Amino acid sequence: MLSRKAIIGLALLGSLSPLLGSSQAQGSAKGVILSRQSGQNAQLIQAAEKGDLAQVQALLKAGASANANDRTGRTALTWAAKGNHVAVTRALIASGADPDPQDEARNNALLVTGETGSVALLREVLKAHPDLTRTNRYGGTALIPAADRGHLAYVRELLETTNINVNHVNNLGWTALLEAVILGDGGPLHTEIVRELLAHGADRRIADREGVTPLQHARQRGFEDMVKLLENNPGDG
């Protein structure tokens, strides 16, 4: 079976449909690459990446910037988000950390939560009023990776507490609904995500670049429970 990375690669090449298979989320964090800035800021980034709340608080009190970033542009807040360090995230935001700056890989705090699926972290980041339209390296909002990875609780929280665009189309030509079907496994979590997306206005008529709708993808993959949900819309192919 093709990996998630392989499926995305095929989509970018425009040769997806004949080779669809199930996938699993992948990803790993790289070590902190420090910028040439003050020692306190560099220490803050390291402490945030490790989740060392006491050290973060001490450095902020001593004058370190809540918006410190490494030479890739990754902020202390994004490092804290990647490690799911909720208390550190809370402390940085309370000190004025901006949630929106993106690093070279186009990650920021909110977009990272879409990948990890941490509802607790999401709630902290939302307190900083992040820009919901910011997109990752694939042109997707935080909702899209959450949908394809099966983060049901996260998807529900994001849809119920924000006005994020449920029908945003990423650089692959996919909406969150398409990703939940194409990159999902057809099981209970992804099926419930499809239900949530539809309940919050997902347009099941939006097809991929090859003109294949979510319903057609679900039929091709034998995802019967998804098919039943998607068939409830007249004229959806």
Side-chain angles (χ1 to χ4, degrees), residues 5 39 60 62 80 88 94 97-98 111 121 130 141 159 183 186 196 217:
K5 184 176 181 180
L60 289 170
V88 170
D98 184 345
L111 293 169
L121 207 295
T141 64
L159 290 173
L183 295 177
E196 288 289 333
H217 276 294

Side-chain angles (χ1 to χ4, degrees), residues 44 47-49 51-62 64-68 76-78 80-81 84-99 109 120-121 123-125 127-128:
L44 180 69
E49 189 267 340
D52 188 337
L53 177 61
Q55 180 74 345
V56 166
Q57 290 174 324
L59 287 163
L60 289 170
K61 186 175 181 179
S65 170
N67 289 306
L77 184 61
T78 300
N84 196 28
H85 302 311
V86 177
V88 170
T89 297
R90 184 182 303 120
L92 289 167
I93 288 174
S95 295
D98 184 345
L121 207 295
R123 289 172 177 165
E124 295 301 327
V125 174
K127 292 175 183 177

Side-chain angles (χ1 to χ4, degrees), residues 167-209:
N167 290 311
H168 174 82
V169 178
N170 66 14
N171 295 342
L172 306 173
W174 297 343
T175 61
L177 184 58
L178 277 164
E179 288 226 0
V181 179
I182 294 170
L183 295 177
D185 61 8
L189 286 176
H190 284 102
T191 299
E192 286 304 307
I193 285 173
V194 168
R195 190 189 306 276
E196 288 289 333
L197 292 169
L198 293 172
H200 287 85
D203 188 345
R204 61 196 98 189
R205 297 169 299 178
I206 299 176
D208 65 19
R209 289 175 177 169

Side-chain angles (χ1 to χ4, degrees), residues 9-231:
L10 288 168
L12 288 169
L13 292 171
S15 56
L16 171 68
S17 293
L19 296 169
L20 280 176
S22 62
S23 62
Q24 295 180 341
Q26 299 178 351
S28 61
K30 295 182 179 179
V32 176
I33 304 174
L34 299 178
S35 62
R36 295 178 180 177
Q37 52 183 315
S38 76
Q40 286 183 338
N41 285 354
Q43 291 173 45
L44 180 69
I45 293 168
Q46 291 180 321
E49 189 267 340
K50 294 176 182 177
D52 188 337
L53 177 61
Q55 180 74 345
V56 166
Q57 290 174 324
L59 287 163
L60 289 170
K61 186 175 181 179
S65 170
N67 289 306
N69 61 80
D70 63 27
R71 72 184 188 200
T72 73
R74 180 168 294 174
T75 64
L77 184 61
T78 300
W79 275 113
K82 286 187 72 67
N84 196 28
H85 302 311
V86 177
V88 170
T89 297
R90 184 182 303 120
L92 289 167
I93 288 174
S95 295
D98 184 345
D100 293 332
Q102 294 174 257
D103 60 25
E104 290 178 355
R106 298 196 58 76
N107 291 308
N108 69 14
L110 177 63
L111 293 169
V112 163
T113 66
E115 296 181 358
T116 66
S118 173
V119 174
L121 207 295
L122 170 65
R123 289 172 177 165
E124 295 301 327
V125 174
L126 289 179
K127 292 175 183 177
H129 308 290
D131 181 355
L132 300 174
T133 68
R134 293 291 178 107
T135 58
N136 61 24
R137 63 190 180 281
Y138 298 115
T141 64
L143 178 63
I144 294 182
D148 85 55
R149 286 164 169 78
H151 298 321
L152 174 58
Y154 181 98
V155 168
R156 185 174 288 142
E157 182 80 12
L158 192 60
L159 290 173
E160 291 180 352
T161 61
T162 75
N163 63 349
I164 196 164
N165 181 7
V166 71
N167 290 311
H168 174 82
V169 178
N170 66 14
N171 295 342
L172 306 173
W174 297 343
T175 61
L177 184 58
L178 277 164
E179 288 226 0
V181 179
I182 294 170
L183 295 177
D185 61 8
L189 286 176
H190 284 102
T191 299
E192 286 304 307
I193 285 173
V194 168
R195 190 189 306 276
E196 288 289 333
L197 292 169
L198 293 172
H200 287 85
D203 188 345
R204 61 196 98 189
R205 297 169 299 178
I206 299 176
D208 65 19
R209 289 175 177 169
E210 297 175 336
V212 184
T213 66
L215 174 56
Q216 291 168 330
H217 276 294
R219 284 174 176 163
Q220 290 171 5
R221 304 194 68 193
F223 295 164
E224 294 303 323
D225 290 336
M226 286 186 182
V227 169
K228 291 175 183 177
L229 289 174
L230 294 163
E231 281 180 335

